[in-house]
Amino acid sequence: MASKNTFSPICLLLLLIVTNYTPSQAQLSTTFYDDTCPNALSTIRTSIRTAISRERRMAASLLRLHFHDCFVQGCDASILLDDGPSIVSEKNAFPNKNSVRGYEVIEAAKSEVEKLCPGVVSCADVLTLAARDASEMVGGPSWSVKLGRRDSTTANKVLAETGALPGFTAPLESLISTFDNVGLNTRDMVALSGAHTLGQAQCFTFRDRIYSNGSNIDAGFASTRRRRCPTIDGNTNLAALDLVTPNSFDNNYFKNLIQKKGLLESDQVLFSGGSTDSIVTEYSNNRNKFNSDFAAAMIKMSEIKPLMGQEGLIRRICSALP
């Protein structure tokens, strides 16, 4: 007679299945929408290209919008949310208010995708793809984007204002620490700073630097910048971050730093006798290396704390919760 403690083969198999079972971990994938919305990527690309064709500066704005999203509670499109009953918008945080742009471009791209596949593609993924397409549109590198992010149900204005985002006067060690806090190393930081080969900055962000008469700024460069940035007033007057080729993605940003022509203090500090000088020199001499490292760093940044699986939701309108 068989013992009561003896397992039948079927029972043993079931026990092994239960014992070894772990819930599947949701992962980002380059093929995430292949079945559910196969034309999503081309639709978003067309919308982004149209926006940048209208205003080339928008490429820089979309890269920055993605950056400011990912550094505050991860790449979850929280920066796109307007104020609401349960939302204090990140748009009104000091680093973003009257500065970060491109919200309407992401909303327009999302609207086009919604016509094809309602409630399928997240705003977070639209924003991530937009950054890649923006780079490519102005002569920068392209890269494969892993998809499957979901959108947050919260925003974090406090975090956006209290150190999550690098400041325009931040010293080198502070910049390194800010990037390290989100899993990006020093090389990633220098490469991503190279996005300042595009775009513009407001006078109040660089006024102190151009009037400092310091040894770390080219005198002629400072004099040129003073024309559009008086000592008082003109706070929102704009100046190109790269005086040479402000609308093309290239490595002139790093050449500018070596010539002491970085517009922001947080730019010039990358080449000021510190640990990042060698990386700046490398990128100034090798555009292909910069492009490669920039693409790799953008991929890493786009995967900071994404919401996946059953986390978050898919917003139909990027600026509001359902």
Side-chain angles (χ1 to χ4, degrees):
M1 183 175 177
S3 166
K4 292 181 180 180
N5 294 325
T6 302
F7 285 103
S8 71
I10 293 177
C11 289
L12 182 60
L13 177 61
L14 289 173
L15 179 63
L16 288 171
I17 292 173
V18 171
T19 302
N20 291 302
Y21 172 77
T22 56
S24 61
Q25 189 71 29
Q27 292 184 328
L28 300 177
S29 166
T30 57
T31 60
F32 189 82
Y33 296 114
D34 281 7
D35 295 328
T36 57
C37 195
N39 293 321
L41 274 65
S42 60
T43 299
I44 293 166
R45 182 186 295 265
T46 297
S47 187
I48 298 306
R49 290 178 70 90
T50 298
I52 295 173
S53 294
R54 291 196 198 103
E55 183 193 5
R56 199 166 174 87
R57 179 188 167 201
M58 187 54 66
S61 297
L62 292 174
L63 285 166
R64 185 165 183 247
L65 182 59
H66 182 40
F67 179 94
H68 279 229
D69 180 47
C70 291
F71 269 60
V72 178
Q73 74 179 28
C75 304
D76 59 2
S78 61
I79 196 172
L80 304 179
L81 285 167
D82 287 337
D83 282 326
S86 63
I87 299 295
V88 179
S89 178
E90 293 169 23
K91 293 180 180 180
N92 296 319
F94 173 73
N96 299 331
K97 190 173 183 179
N98 300 321
S99 173
V100 172
R101 309 166 67 245
Y103 302 112
E104 73 287 351
V105 174
I106 300 303
E107 203 72 76
K110 168 67 169 173
S111 177
E112 291 302 310
V113 174
E114 282 294 303
K115 294 174 185 178
L116 296 177
C117 319
V120 173
V121 181
S122 70
C123 297
D125 277 346
V126 172
L127 180 51
T128 305
L129 287 163
R132 188 272 309 275
D133 294 342
S135 170
E136 186 177 12
M137 180 70 177
V138 292
S142 185
W143 53 89
S144 296
V145 176
K146 292 182 181 179
L147 302 165
R149 296 164 193 77
R150 288 169 65 85
D151 300 325
S152 69
T153 58
T154 62
N156 198 328
K157 180 174 180 281
V158 172
L159 186 59
E161 289 184 323
T162 55
L165 292 165
F168 54 83
T169 62
L172 182 59
E173 291 308 313
S174 175
L175 290 173
I176 291 172
S177 176
T178 298
F179 279 73
D180 182 65
N181 287 340
V182 292
L184 297 171
N185 62 35
T186 300
R187 180 169 286 268
D188 296 328
M189 184 264 291
V190 178
L192 290 172
S193 297
H196 282 185
T197 192
L198 302 168
Q200 302 182 65
Q202 297 183 58
C203 171
F204 79 90
T205 66
F206 58 86
R207 178 184 283 119
D208 288 348
R209 173 163 161 73
I210 62 174
Y211 286 99
S212 67
N213 295 315
S215 61
N216 68 339
I217 185 167
D218 178 83
F221 172 78
S223 177
T224 299
R225 290 312 193 197
R226 288 172 190 160
R227 296 172 191 167
R228 288 276 298 154
C229 187
T231 54
I232 55 173
D233 298 326
N235 279 351
T236 59
N237 289 355
L238 296 171
L241 288 157
D242 173 10
L243 187 60
V244 183
T245 53
N247 293 314
S248 297
F249 194 103
D250 53 34
N251 63 337
N252 274 329
Y253 168 81
F254 300 104
K255 296 177 181 180
N256 294 338
L257 298 186
I258 292 173
Q259 297 170 10
K260 300 182 180 181
K261 295 179 181 179
L263 185 61
L264 305 178
E265 289 183 36
S266 57
D267 290 324
Q268 192 59 56
V269 76
L270 300 181
F271 192 82
S272 57
S275 61
T276 54
D277 282 16
S278 60
I279 304 175
V280 170
T281 301
E282 180 183 4
Y283 290 161
S284 72
N285 292 326
N286 191 334
R287 180 175 175 176
N288 289 335
K289 179 59 175 173
F290 164 51
N291 282 356
S292 175
D293 283 0
F294 180 81
M298 285 295 290
I299 292 170
K300 284 179 68 174
M301 187 186 78
S302 75
E303 297 176 11
I304 296 172
K305 298 179 183 176
L307 300 175
M308 295 182 289
Q310 298 304 308
E311 300 173 312
L313 45 72
I314 305 295
R315 292 187 224 136
R316 298 293 185 96
I317 298 173
C318 293
S319 60
L321 297 177

